[in-house]
Amino acid sequence: MTSLPALRTMALVTVAPLLLAAAGVMHPRHLTAAAADHWAVLHIALLPVFPFLALGLVLPLWGRPRRDIEGALTVLAWAGSLCYAAYYAGLDAVAGISAGVVVGHGVHGAAGGLFATGDELGRAGVCGLAVAVLATCALLGRRHGIRVLPGGAVLLAACWSFWDSHIFWPRGVFTMLGFALGFALLTVATSGGGHDATLRKTPANP
């Protein structure tokens, strides 16, 4: 049975992807003059939400990094998460807020350039997120063994889909649900003691 602290952690790490999935259902399919205000307002609301998608990679590694391979993996995961948070927020601001505003004011010619720039920022962010997933799963695998593999596999598949799906319905919505599932699986996999804890609890042979 999953413990209460694990359930709390699961709620924290899944709230952002679930909110993004819900927003994806309401996301306009195309940026038109009629949808421009909705497009811009939605991305303004999501601006503080997108960075928290990486919370599921930051919380399991909370604490000061050690001076060993696990510490290096922790720093790499944090760096990847920071890269994602910065660059994907850039996509949200450029291709979301800015594009919505200019199209809403009738400046349609600028939207293409904004989308191109936003796509580059978003892909850089997704690359950072994938690096963070790999580093986090490598570290957690050292501590908890192969039980982290299902969550890691789901998260990597979600990163692959996130490359060009954003949160658009339907694939983008299922991508966000994939992140929520992956983070939940990692939480369950790491809620028990790791290999070191198991060894400490095993009595020595007389």
Side-chain angles (χ1 to χ4, degrees):
M1 181 178 293
T2 306
S3 66
L4 183 58
L7 290 174
R8 290 173 181 165
T9 300
M10 193 180 300
L12 283 173
V13 300
T14 58
V15 64
L18 291 176
L19 284 174
L20 292 170
V25 175
M26 301 180 290
H27 199 299
R29 294 288 188 91
H30 304 286
L31 177 54
T32 62
D37 287 344
H38 182 189
W39 184 286
V41 169
L42 180 63
H43 285 88
I44 291 171
L46 294 178
L47 193 59
V49 180
F50 275 111
F52 279 97
L53 183 64
L55 188 61
L57 305 174
V58 175
L59 276 185
L61 310 182
W62 199 259
R64 178 177 295 180
R66 303 188 317 200
R67 294 184 178 181
D68 57 11
I69 184 63
E70 290 196 2
L73 288 170
T74 298
V75 172
L76 183 60
W78 288 351
S81 298
L82 178 61
C83 174
Y84 158 74
Y87 283 97
Y88 214 86
L91 163 66
D92 193 41
V94 173
I97 301 170
S98 299
V101 169
V102 298
V103 171
H105 285 79
V107 189
H108 298 277
L114 291 172
F115 280 133
T117 301
D119 284 344
E120 292 179 4
L121 293 170
R123 287 168 185 160
V126 173
C127 287
L129 187 62
V131 168
V133 167
L134 288 170
T136 299
C137 291
L139 191 157
L140 295 179
R142 289 171 58 88
R143 295 178 181 175
H144 303 279
I146 62 172
R147 58 190 179 188
V148 306
L149 289 179
V154 171
L155 289 174
L156 286 175
C159 286
W160 175 82
S161 181
F162 198 23
W163 176 264
D164 61 355
S165 69
H166 189 48
I167 60 171
F168 291 110
W169 171 264
R171 188 156 66 91
V173 172
F174 285 106
T175 297
M176 292 301 110
L177 294 177
F179 277 116
L181 175 61
F183 291 141
L185 289 172
L186 274 190
T187 301
V188 172
T190 59
S191 60
H195 289 168
D196 293 341
T198 302
L199 291 173
R200 285 196 299 269
K201 292 176 183 177
T202 303
N205 293 327

